Amino acid sequence: MAAAPHASDRGRLGVNAPLVASGIGVELGGSPVLHDVDLEVRLGELLVLVGPNGAGKSTLLGVLSGDQVPQRGTVTLDGRRVASLRAGELARRRAVLPQENRLAFGFRVVDVVRMGRAAWAGRPEEDRDDVVVAGALRRSDVAHLAERVYPTLSGGERARTSLARVLAQETALVLLDEPTAALDVRHVELVMAQARELAVAGHAVVAVLHDLTLAAAHADRVCVLADGRVRAVGAPRAVLTAELLSTVYEHPLEVVDLDGRLLVLPQRHPQEAPC
């Protein structure tokens, strides 16, 4: 079971919207990437960002985490600008799973996961390090890899190790950039179950996903981005419509209700018959 945010975290972060982005504008290399983005991230929910390549999903996640500084707009945690938070405090408030996991040195898996506890060094929470790390290894299905050296792992094993590091960090806000990209079906479901469990336990979770059906199955709210703008935010059934998605992805998509579950399917042109 995911540990709920500490009472002190709930007090600091607020109940409804711990993270608020207002009027966010970002340019990279002179090209606009995000335009006037407004978004609230709430405790107790899984918010999924979707959109085509180049929509600005990862950039927005970077802005929300404080790792990317916008040219315009502000991001606040309970009324405090994220940019004003010191690195240690920010690390105790939010954990980030990046899209790419790069570790050049030969750390063991257990050591990589233990890195998630660095923000709690010298504090009372440090006494729980061993228990938290063991739990994170188990929940990410990498306990059996604990003594393996990180560079020897497969892409999926690395992704799950990085997720375990994020879980070990024990923050009220969790930001995941394409957490299922390198995973097989079983581990996709495991990772999304962990994200869901965090939300149920009271954490605020934001995930970038490409799989629209996966987003529909697990998200409390979905934010659809296109051309650096928010096109819609809301419950999956309200947002993931064939009309909107076909426009955003510039390809005809069909949304099917299968026994209460939404399936998003691309329409395919029938192949020409062979001569």
Side-chain angles (χ1 to χ4, degrees):
M1 177 66 67
H6 298 296
S8 58
D9 287 332
R10 286 181 178 272
R12 288 198 304 269
L13 291 175
V15 174
N16 294 320
L19 188 68
V20 179
S22 303
I24 298 300
V26 174
E27 294 182 4
L28 298 176
S31 299
V33 179
L34 293 176
H35 308 265
D36 300 320
V37 172
D38 297 325
L39 190 65
E40 292 184 350
V41 181
R42 304 165 184 167
L43 288 171
E45 78 163 6
L46 170 55
L47 172 65
V48 173
L49 308 181
V50 301
N53 293 336
K57 303 181 297 297
S58 292
T59 299
L60 178 56
L61 200 77
V63 170
L64 295 176
S65 72
D67 292 335
Q68 173 79 46
V69 179
Q71 280 82 15
R72 293 176 301 281
T74 59
V75 179
T76 59
L77 241 58
D78 194 29
R80 295 179 60 190
R81 291 172 66 99
V82 169
S84 71
L85 298 175
R86 294 184 177 182
E89 184 177 4
L90 191 58
R92 290 188 291 273
R93 305 283 292 277
R94 64 94 177 100
V96 183
L97 179 67
Q99 193 174 131
E100 295 184 12
N101 304 289
R102 298 176 179 176
L103 275 177
F105 300 102
F107 294 106
R108 297 177 305 162
V109 165
V110 66
D111 297 325
V112 173
V113 177
R114 193 172 292 276
M115 290 175 188
R117 301 299 298 168
W120 303 105
R123 300 171 61 91
E125 293 86 351
E126 185 179 32
D127 294 341
R128 302 179 57 247
D129 281 3
D130 289 342
V131 172
V132 171
V133 168
L137 287 164
R138 175 182 50 77
R139 289 161 58 196
S140 300
D141 193 27
V142 290
H144 62 293
L145 303 173
E147 298 302 318
R148 285 274 301 275
V149 178
Y150 185 84
T152 69
L153 303 179
S154 71
E157 290 168 341
R158 292 186 188 192
R160 291 180 353 247
T161 298
S162 295
L163 174 66
R165 175 188 56 76
V166 166
L167 295 177
Q169 202 167 330
E170 285 198 315
T171 57
L173 175 63
V174 179
L175 304 165
L176 309 171
D177 197 354
E178 298 191 31
T180 63
L183 303 180
D184 58 36
V185 172
R186 180 170 76 90
H187 288 110
V188 165
E189 290 302 317
L190 180 147
V191 168
M192 294 311 300
Q194 288 300 320
R196 178 80 259 150
E197 186 175 302
L198 286 169
V200 169
H203 299 254
V205 185
V206 184
V208 172
L209 294 179
H210 277 293
D211 188 325
L212 298 171
T213 296
L214 198 64
H218 293 281
D220 293 299
R221 287 191 301 147
V222 176
C223 173
V224 180
L225 292 164
D227 297 321
R229 301 181 187 277
V230 174
R231 298 296 300 274
V233 183
R237 285 186 176 275
V239 168
L240 298 178
T241 65
E243 181 180 7
L244 175 61
L245 295 177
S246 297
T247 299
V248 164
Y249 285 90
E250 299 181 345
H251 185 89
L253 295 169
E254 183 179 5
V255 179
V256 179
D257 189 323
L258 182 63
D259 297 329
R261 296 188 301 168
L262 293 184
L263 302 180
V264 182
L265 305 171
Q267 294 184 16
R268 295 186 171 93
H269 299 292
Q271 295 181 347
E272 294 183 3
C275 297

